[in-house]
């Protein structure tokens, strides 16, 4: 069990900006995390185990595809969905990653680019957690620049034949379906999405071992060797790299909120620890100016991050959000959370490196979160391109 019970972080009456429904989503998710995730997560992290037993309960609570409407989805607003991911990531970034992938990278592309038949077939089962999905865009040689991808789809008699390798794929080996992005040879190498059942001959998933980050999440490499899929596997409305980038935008939005959760966990732990840990003249370390300065930095940055997330969420809910807004949210909030984790690690001294406290786990997790879904620097370039009109990629 954790050393401290989470007390929440609200310095400027942020909660007064939220509706009753938004608070309800936040509070019920917080309770779920307290009861089901906090007691087991350090051991999962130590053992490198994804807590698969939580998939069904999370499905029953409507966590998957929560901001989609119909097809068994909860139909939450984007702010409610953001608060959900915040609480999930206060639990663990790996758990939030699972939900982000299932929701934003598997259900969203089916919802946005799929046929009615595909939506009816897959979305209710994915929403309940009866089926698990993964998203294959990154390749061993193409990460930040997916336009170079080598995975190819070739038209066959009654479908397509897929060949290629995908790398760093969350939930790869536990997925029932993979959303695979490939260049279609017969369509001038246009990038299109396919729903590929993972039990098709020629499909293989092998886990990445030796990860020091997101240890409570499955990460795999996918290999597709002459995998034959029917024509009905193609997401008919997908076309060009814009399609996977639209999915990433959905996921990055959730990450921007999620990072606040990890930061809150680190700050709250450091604040409580500093109150009871005594050094010099039998005084709590919280009485030292240098410790206070770190805590003040953390709560200030968390507060700014909350306001940024809420405004981007409100823009998303009114259909006004732009991709550069989401880039700023992802870039700033993940950086902020990582800095909070590093400062909290400092404040806990030697205890900061042990898994009696959540700090080191968040710190290591956030190193991945800073890299995936567009690295910190790539988001800088996206914002730079937007404000100057000049691409610097
Ligand atoms: C745990 C984990 C889970 C993941 N899950 C998924 C998943 O489910 N599905 C999926 O498709 N992918 C997934 N990814 C992959 C992730 O999206 C990529 O790692 C990410 O896009 C970065 O690619 P890369 O690692 O190849 O780094 P690279 O693209 O090789 O970049 C390396 C460095 O170079 C910098 N760089 C690159 N280009 C430029 C430039 N033009 N200007 C300045 N700097 C530049 C980058 O910012 C970075 O610092 C996951 C990754 C991790 C770590």
């Amino acid at each position: 069990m954790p050393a401290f019970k989470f007390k929440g972080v609200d310095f400027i009456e942020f909660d007064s900006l939220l509706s009753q429904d938004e608070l309800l989503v936040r509070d019920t998710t917080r309770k779920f995390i307290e009861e089901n995730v906090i007691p087991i997560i350090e051991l999962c992290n130590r053992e490198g185990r994804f807590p698969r037993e939580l998939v069904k309960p999370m499905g029953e609570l409507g966590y998957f595809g929560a901001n989609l409407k119909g097809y068994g989805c909860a139909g939450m607003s984007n702010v409610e969905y953001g608060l959900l991911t915040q609480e999930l990531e206060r639990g663990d970034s790996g758990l939030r990653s699972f939900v982000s992938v299932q929701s934003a990278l598997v259900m969203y592309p089916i919802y946005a680019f799929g046929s009615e038949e595909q939506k009816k077939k897959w979305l209710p089962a994915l929403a309940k957690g009866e089926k698990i999905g993964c998203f294959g865009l990154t390749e061993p040689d193409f990460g930040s620049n997916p336009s170079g991808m080598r995975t190819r789809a070739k038209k066959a008699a009654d479908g397509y034949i897929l060949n290629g390798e995908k790398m760093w794929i969350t939930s790869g080996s536990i997925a029932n379906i993979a959303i695979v992005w490939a260049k279609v040879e017969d369509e001038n190498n246009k990038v299109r999405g396919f729903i590929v059942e993972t039990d098709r001959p020629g499909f293989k998933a092998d886990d990445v071992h030796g990860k020091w980050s997101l240890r409570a999440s499955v990460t795999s490499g996918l290999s597709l060797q002459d995998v034959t899929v029917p024509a009905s596997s193609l997401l008919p409305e997908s076309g060009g790299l814009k399609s996977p980038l639209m999915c990433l935008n959905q996921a990055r939005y959730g990450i921007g909120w999620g990072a606040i959760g990890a930061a809150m966990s680190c700050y709250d732990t450091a604040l409580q620890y500093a109150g009871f840990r005594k050094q010099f003249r039998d005084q709590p370390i919280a009485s030292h100016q240098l410790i206070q300065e770190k805590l003040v930095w953390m709560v200030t940055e968390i507060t700014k991050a909350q306001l940024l997330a809420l405004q981007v969420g409100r823009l998303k809910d009114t259909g006004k959000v732009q991709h550069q807004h989401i880039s700023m949210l992802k870039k700033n909030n993940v950086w902020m959370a990582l800095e909070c984790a590093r400062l909290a690690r400092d404040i806990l001294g030697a205890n900061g490196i042990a898994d009696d406290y959540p700090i080191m786990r968040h710190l290591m997790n956030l190193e991945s979160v800073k890299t995936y879904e567009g690295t910190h620097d790539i988001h800088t370039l996206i914002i730079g391109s937007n404000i100057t009109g000049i691409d610097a990629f």
Side-chain angles (χ1 to χ4, degrees):
M1 285 303 286
F4 304 118
K5 184 153 171 50
F6 181 63
K7 291 187 175 161
V9 183
D10 186 357
F11 189 73
I12 54 162
E13 295 195 26
F14 178 78
D15 282 7
S16 68
L17 301 173
L18 302 176
S19 71
Q20 286 307 310
D21 283 351
E22 289 162 354
L23 288 169
L24 186 67
V25 169
R26 201 265 319 268
D27 293 344
T28 50
T29 315
R30 186 167 288 181
K31 188 163 178 288
F32 175 82
I33 296 298
E34 280 303 310
E35 290 173 358
N36 298 281
V37 179
I38 301 299
I40 62 164
I41 195 63
E42 298 303 342
L43 195 58
C44 289
N45 189 63
R46 203 185 275 193
E47 292 173 349
R49 181 181 81 83
F50 169 63
R52 200 168 172 167
E53 66 275 18
L54 297 180
V55 173
K56 220 167 156 268
M58 289 197 292
E60 281 161 8
L61 287 164
Y63 289 1
F64 304 133
N67 60 346
L68 304 180
K69 300 204 174 21
Y71 307 98
C73 302
M76 286 183 195
S77 72
N78 287 293
V79 171
E80 288 166 353
Y81 171 66
L83 289 161
L84 169 75
T85 61
Q86 170 189 289
E87 293 305 314
L88 288 169
E89 192 142 0
R90 187 178 66 80
D92 188 73
S93 305
L95 191 70
R96 199 272 307 135
S97 297
F98 177 86
V99 176
S100 290
V101 168
Q102 180 89 350
S103 305
L105 299 181
V106 177
M107 294 175 71
Y108 173 78
I110 296 173
Y111 185 84
F113 312 124
S115 65
E116 198 51 37
E117 196 189 338
Q118 289 170 332
K119 291 181 204 183
K120 284 191 179 139
K121 179 173 179 187
W122 293 111
L123 291 179
L126 290 160
K128 285 197 202 93
E130 289 166 3
K131 299 285 180 196
I132 293 175
C134 69
F135 176 88
L137 178 67
T138 305
E139 300 190 352
D141 292 333
F142 298 95
S144 299
N145 176 21
S147 68
M149 73 171 70
R150 294 204 183 99
T151 301
R152 291 288 187 275
K154 200 174 166 46
K155 275 195 180 134
D158 48 3
Y160 294 87
I161 299 171
L162 298 172
N163 276 289
E165 304 281 331
K166 298 290 179 182
M167 192 56 199
W168 299 108
I169 306 305
T170 303
S171 305
S173 68
I174 58 170
N176 304 100
I177 57 169
I179 303 294
V180 174
W181 297 95
K183 287 182 175 165
V184 180
E185 288 184 358
D186 322 72
E187 290 184 33
N188 211 12
N189 283 335
K190 190 199 266 188
V191 173
R192 303 199 74 183
F194 295 84
I195 304 173
V196 181
E197 285 121 320
T198 56
D199 57 2
R200 287 195 174 271
F203 186 100
K204 215 159 95 32
D206 287 306
D207 286 345
V208 176
H209 295 290
K211 280 186 302 169
W212 290 108
S213 177
L214 293 188
R215 291 180 51 74
S217 161
V218 173
T219 313
S220 320
L222 309 181
S223 155
L224 295 99
Q225 283 184 9
D226 290 330
V227 177
T228 305
V229 294
S232 60
S233 294
L234 173 72
L235 290 169
E237 301 301 324
S238 67
L241 203 57
K242 190 168 177 276
S243 303
L245 293 182
M246 281 170 67
C247 303
L248 294 177
N249 238 6
Q250 299 294 318
R252 290 163 180 171
Y253 169 76
I255 293 170
W257 277 94
I260 301 171
M264 281 178 165
S265 171
C266 294
Y267 166 73
D268 183 67
T269 304
L271 181 62
Q272 295 198 49
Y273 184 89
F276 90 82
R277 174 72 177 170
K278 291 183 175 157
Q279 289 297 293
F280 295 100
R281 296 178 299 283
D282 202 29
Q283 286 179 344
I285 57 170
S287 67
H288 301 303
Q289 289 181 358
L290 291 175
I291 297 286
Q292 287 193 8
E293 195 275 335
K294 291 182 175 69
L295 292 168
V296 170
W297 189 92
M298 290 160 83
V299 76
T300 307
E301 290 302 323
I302 290 171
T303 303
K304 285 153 68 180
Q306 286 173 314
L307 294 172
L308 177 60
L310 185 61
Q311 170 63 2
V312 174
R314 297 272 184 247
L315 288 176
K316 194 159 160 48
D317 275 330
T318 47
K320 293 187 204 150
V321 80
Q322 303 286 323
H323 70 274
Q324 63 272 16
H325 302 151
I326 294 177
S327 283
M328 183 178 282
L329 175 68
K330 195 267 181 186
K331 171 184 151 71
N332 179 76
N333 288 12
V334 175
W335 161 78
M336 172 289 294
L338 192 50
E339 291 303 307
C340 282
R342 287 173 179 156
L343 289 173
R345 220 291 305 144
D346 240 356
I347 291 173
L348 267 75
N351 277 322
I353 68 155
D355 65 7
D356 297 332
Y357 299 90
I359 310 297
M360 199 69 183
R361 176 172 52 82
H362 282 308
L363 202 164
M364 294 192 300
N365 283 344
L366 288 163
E367 290 291 349
S368 282
V369 181
K370 193 180 181 207
T371 283
Y372 71 22
E373 300 280 349
T375 69
H376 183 82
D377 289 345
I378 292 295
H379 286 296
T380 302
L381 300 182
I382 291 171
I383 301 168
S385 161
N386 176 258
I387 59 174
T388 64
I390 304 166
D391 280 345
F393 295 94

